[in-house]
């Protein structure tokens, strides 16, 4: 439960684009190709946006965990 709250808080800290990419892939369960189509970009660009969004949310979560320690 606490982990979910941390992830939700981290999602709130992301940009709208990062949040949209992660939502499309993980909540809507779209493929990278379909995510790219929704965003109006190529699958390759969607992949890069996904990787960057993952990197940013990990950074936010890591910082949150360090501040609690």
């Amino acid at each position: 439960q606490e982990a979910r709250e941390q992830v939700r808080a981290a999602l709130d800290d992301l940009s709208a684009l990062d949040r949209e990419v992660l939502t499309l892939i993980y909540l809507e369960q779209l493929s990278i190709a379909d995510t790219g189509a929704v965003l109006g970009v190529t699958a390759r660009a969607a992949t890069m946006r996904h990787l960057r969004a993952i990197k940013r949310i990990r950074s936010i979560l890591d910082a949150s965990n360090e501040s609690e320690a």
Side-chain angles (χ1 to χ4, degrees):
Q1 191 72 355
E2 183 179 330
R4 280 186 188 195
E5 290 174 14
Q6 287 179 329
V7 170
R8 283 189 183 127
L11 283 169
D12 288 341
D13 288 344
L14 290 176
S15 71
L17 180 59
D18 287 343
R19 196 167 38 253
E20 184 175 22
V21 168
L22 295 178
T23 298
L24 290 171
I25 293 171
Y26 294 104
L27 297 180
E28 300 295 329
Q29 298 183 340
L30 295 183
S31 67
I32 290 291
D34 289 341
T35 298
V38 169
L39 298 174
V41 299
T42 65
R44 183 177 174 134
T47 298
M48 290 307 298
R49 288 182 183 187
H50 173 242
L51 293 174
R52 289 183 188 128
I54 290 294
K55 183 177 179 181
R56 288 183 185 114
I57 199 167
R58 279 187 184 147
S59 177
I60 291 167
L61 290 169
D62 287 347
S64 173
N65 288 335
E66 287 176 8
S67 69
E68 290 178 6

